[in-house]
Amino acid sequence: MNKRYKLWEVGRQLTATAQGKLKADLVIKNGTLVNVFTGEVLPNIDVAVKLGRIALVGDAAGTVGETTVIVDAQGMYLVPGFIDGHLHVESSLMTVGEYAKATIPHGTSSIFMDPHEIVNVAGLDGMAAMMEDGETTPLRVFTTIPSCVPASPGLENTGSTITSEDIQNTLNWEGVAGLGEMMDYTGILSGDPQTCEKVEKTLEAGKTVTGHFPLTDTGAALNAYIAAGISCCHESTSAREALAKMRLGMYAMIRKGSAWNDLPEVIKAITEQTIDTRLAMLVSDDSHADTLLNCGHMDYIIRLAVSMGVRPVTAIQMATLNAACCFGMERDIGSISPGRFADINILSDLAQVRVEKVIINGELVAEKGRLTVPAGSYVYPEQLRASMKITRKILPSDFIVKVPLGTETAKVRVIGVHDSNVLTTEMLKSLPVKNGEVKLVAEKDICKVAVINRHTPEGGMSVGFVHGFGLKKGAVASTYAHDAHNLVVLGMSDAEMAFAANKVVESDGGMVAVDGEKVLSLLKMPIAGLMSDLSAQEVADALGELSNAWVALGSSLASPFMTMSLLSLVVIPEIRITDKGLVNVYNNGFTTLFVE
């Protein structure tokens, strides 16, 4: 890979190259430039590159020397490298190296990852490992330091704790762009000293604080949250919420991931309004391996936005310049202009975002959908492969929900899930009781859910009920479960739930679907119980098998494992479950399983 020079290191050479005093390393000729500053599409433009950065945009004839590499872009569009401003690489279930291999051919040149999944399990060692992994790829991997580990102190057990001192000590790490999503909005609104100090340390360092504000209150609460210094939010699920945030100077990150599809509704803030779109961003948060390989990454999201009525140039701005500005990095990335890194996509079709060539740091790294340079040689340390601390055997009796003898019917709180949506609903349901144990009724689409603490040998746990997965039989289990990433199990029988849970423990983490004592599909994820060390294609194939297994068990959800992973995410309304019990998110506290 070409060396990545800072602008102050090469500014003089760029100035000389622009004047023809030095010759360019690379010249792209005759392209149609998408200018993300002015919104224009300009024909017959050349781009001259020196030392990985752009020296000139215009007529580059004077910069061509004997050794200059020429790329003819006649009939093609030149657009900046795409930027994903918010994601968790771990959610792809792949390493950063494999993630880069899957996304670069689709035109992604930069990502801003929040590694709070691995940090919840393994602390800052996990973050450091992922950053080192990123350095073995052409992809620009920027990191936001996880702000909420644990995400909900007292409500769940996790494998690590990150303090404001930890954050202060890592803000100067190379590649750290700011603070990860501030999920503790209640701490911000209440002025909790520890929570606010994390934000203050980041602002003092001159870096961006990213947000997480899932409330529908766009009045005083949203104002108060933004006033703390938080710059962006990806949790809007309506155009009204996104528009309110942009009107208050907050970047609205419009999300399209494998498990949620907020874009069609939220994009109306752009298509049904006449507004300046500089504060609108497109992000993934998050995409699985199969989505990345079959559909694409930011190119796919841009294409969807265009299909919904967004002007192509505007959609590209939302995935390039706007993201760079959000993190104060517009001097380096986000546009094709002098001084910036030469991160350039060459497209054959603008509206369809058809990526033909990808240039990062002045080097051709992908062509015709294939990576043309090596990437992803990092080997994760052994201590990150020993994250399953449970030593006891999990038994069918662990999943029994008991009530006093003589009770015939139990009224319980049930977690209601919704397809392609992160929100849950509290439901009240009556279930039959036999011999003092609550029983399931398949026709009601209710199954059991258990969360087991995998960060201690004892493996403490809680059990509840969930509606909406459609399971008719069998059980599923996963160690990918936001945000503490404990072991989550769903099932229609206690024996199958125990079998699935033990299978995941034996595998050092992963996802499994079982029918009786038959394993329908298993994806081992030995890196912190979150990531596989398989290739992107192998992970995609395994996810396909898991999806087929869910269907065989009765579920029709678009991304059931991702939806399942959110059942313990106690920072998004309305009701969740952790290893310590059932949680009412609005009250930020526990609630009872049984209703009197």
Side-chain angles (χ1 to χ4, degrees):
M1 293 182 290
N2 292 339
K3 182 177 178 181
R4 297 177 178 180
Y5 289 101
K6 298 184 185 302
L7 182 55
W8 62 265
E9 294 179 290
V10 297
R12 296 183 189 182
Q13 292 95 317
L14 297 178
T15 297
T17 303
Q19 300 173 83
K21 297 174 183 178
L22 290 177
K23 299 307 178 184
D25 300 326
L26 168 72
V27 168
I28 305 170
K29 294 183 65 66
N30 306 316
T32 298
L33 175 70
V34 173
N35 190 309
V36 292
F37 292 117
T38 63
E40 298 173 285
V41 179
L42 305 171
N44 302 317
I45 299 293
D46 303 338
V47 179
V49 177
K50 185 71 174 181
L51 299 172
R53 287 184 178 261
I54 297 168
L56 178 145
V57 178
D59 181 357
T63 71
V64 177
E66 293 182 1
T67 61
T68 302
V69 175
I70 305 294
V71 174
D72 188 357
Q74 183 72 44
M76 300 285 186
Y77 295 89
L78 308 182
V79 305
F82 302 140
I83 302 170
D84 192 340
H86 179 72
L87 75 154
H88 313 281
V89 170
E90 307 97 309
S91 292
S92 71
L93 312 181
M94 301 183 293
T95 62
V96 183
E98 286 301 316
Y99 188 89
K101 292 178 186 177
T103 57
I104 290 173
H106 290 282
T108 302
S109 61
S110 300
I111 63 171
F112 287 83
M113 70 172 184
D114 181 347
H116 71 210
E117 324 299 354
I118 199 168
V119 172
N120 266 281
V121 175
L124 290 176
D125 288 343
M127 182 173 99
M130 290 188 69
M131 293 175 72
E132 291 174 18
D133 189 359
E135 290 173 2
T136 68
T137 79
L139 191 66
R140 297 189 195 281
V141 179
F142 299 105
T143 301
T144 58
I145 308 164
S147 62
C148 301
V149 179
S152 302
L155 298 180
E156 61 187 349
N157 286 301
T158 187
S160 179
T161 298
I162 298 299
T163 65
S164 59
E165 183 179 1
D166 292 326
I167 289 169
Q168 185 172 23
N169 291 339
T170 53
L171 279 168
N172 63 352
W173 285 13
E174 183 71 27
V176 167
L179 190 66
E181 56 180 300
M182 178 44 71
M183 295 180 287
D184 188 6
Y185 50 86
T186 57
I188 295 295
L189 299 183
S190 66
D192 175 70
Q194 292 182 333
T195 304
C196 292
E197 188 177 18
K198 295 174 181 178
V199 173
E200 292 157 3
K201 294 295 184 185
T202 307
L203 295 175
E204 186 180 4
K207 298 195 175 181
T208 298
V209 179
T210 64
H212 170 113
F213 190 83
L215 305 183
T216 58
D217 182 351
T218 56
L222 178 59
N223 276 267
Y225 187 74
I226 296 172
I230 299 169
S231 296
C232 55
C233 175
H234 57 275
E235 290 296 339
S236 299
T237 57
S238 70
R240 180 188 69 84
E241 294 167 26
L243 187 59
K245 289 167 185 174
M246 289 187 283
R247 283 172 172 166
L248 294 174
M250 172 178 265
Y251 284 89
M253 294 173 160
I254 301 173
R255 174 172 56 187
K256 168 58 184 170
S258 292
W260 33 77
N261 189 21
D262 298 326
L263 191 147
E265 178 59 34
V266 181
I267 204 67
K268 293 175 183 176
I270 307 300
T271 58
E272 297 183 359
Q273 303 288 331
T274 304
I275 63 169
D276 190 312
T277 57
R278 74 183 71 187
L279 294 180
M281 292 169 58
L282 296 174
V283 302
S284 66
D285 186 43
D286 296 294
S287 297
H288 287 160
D290 50 350
T291 301
L292 295 173
L293 294 180
N294 297 330
C295 301
H297 184 215
M298 298 309 296
D299 59 330
Y300 169 54
I301 300 174
I302 295 168
R303 188 159 53 248
L304 288 176
V306 172
S307 73
M308 293 170 190
V310 180
R311 182 171 169 251
V313 175
T314 301
I316 288 169
Q317 288 171 323
M318 292 163 64
T320 56
L321 181 61
N322 295 6
C325 290
C326 177
F327 289 94
M329 292 188 178
E330 62 272 25
R331 186 177 290 174
D332 287 325
I333 59 176
S335 65
I336 299 175
S337 53
R340 276 67 173 184
F341 282 116
D343 298 347
I344 301 168
N345 293 330
I346 301 178
L347 276 54
S348 58
D349 188 298
L350 188 60
Q352 291 300 314
V353 201
R354 191 166 294 124
V355 180
E356 302 296 338
K357 299 180 191 293
V358 180
I359 294 167
I360 298 179
N361 207 46
E363 180 181 11
L364 181 67
V365 295
E367 187 170 12
K368 300 291 184 183
R370 294 186 178 276
L371 207 65
T372 57
V373 296
S377 58
Y378 183 73
V379 178
Y380 281 80
E382 284 303 314
Q383 62 264 31
L384 294 182
R385 296 173 174 270
S387 66
M388 298 298 294
K389 307 300 184 184
I390 301 173
T391 56
R392 72 178 183 91
K393 189 78 169 178
I394 298 169
L395 304 173
S397 58
D398 293 327
F399 300 93
I400 294 174
V401 178
K402 296 181 179 180
V403 295
L405 289 173
T407 305
E408 294 183 356
T409 303
K411 191 174 185 180
V412 297
R413 288 185 171 85
V414 176
I415 303 169
V417 301
H418 310 280
D419 201 4
S420 300
N421 195 303
V422 299
L423 301 176
T424 60
T425 303
E426 179 178 312
M427 308 173 73
L428 303 181
K429 297 288 184 178
S430 295
L431 295 177
V433 175
K434 184 176 181 180
N435 299 325
E437 299 177 12
V438 179
K439 297 297 182 181
L440 298 175
V441 180
E443 292 75 19
K444 293 188 175 183
D445 189 11
I446 295 175
C447 62
K448 281 185 181 178
V449 55
V451 181
I452 305 169
N453 180 1
R454 71 172 172 108
H455 305 296
T456 61
E458 298 80 15
M461 61 185 286
S462 69
V463 182
F465 299 95
V466 64
H467 171 274
F469 279 94
L471 290 184
K472 301 292 191 296
K473 58 181 179 177
V476 288
S478 174
T479 48
Y480 190 94
H482 300 278
D483 271 318
H485 296 287
N486 284 308
L487 174 55
V488 176
V489 191
L490 296 182
M492 295 303 295
S493 78
D494 300 337
E496 288 170 313
M497 292 176 75
F499 179 68
N502 286 317
K503 185 60 64 174
V504 170
V505 173
E506 294 165 8
S507 301
D508 292 321
M511 296 178 170
V512 71
V514 306
D515 184 1
E517 292 191 356
K518 178 183 178 182
V519 174
L520 300 180
S521 183
L522 169 64
L523 172 60
K524 295 182 179 181
M525 302 188 304
I527 302 172
L530 301 172
M531 296 181 287
S532 168
D533 46 15
L534 299 174
S535 70
Q537 187 60 61
E538 289 171 320
V539 172
D541 291 343
L543 287 172
E545 291 179 3
L546 284 165
S547 295
N548 291 336
W550 274 94
V551 172
L553 297 178
S555 182
S556 60
L557 293 185
S559 186
F561 258 123
M562 185 68 91
T563 303
M564 175 175 148
S565 76
L566 301 172
L567 291 174
S568 53
L569 184 56
V570 291
V571 296
I572 295 183
E574 174 177 40
I575 183 171
R576 308 281 166 170
I577 186 170
T578 74
D579 64 303
K580 300 180 75 171
L582 205 59
V583 176
N584 181 308
V585 177
Y586 288 125
N587 297 336
N588 196 37
F590 294 107
T591 188
T592 59
L593 177 62
F594 296 102
V595 182
E596 296 297 332

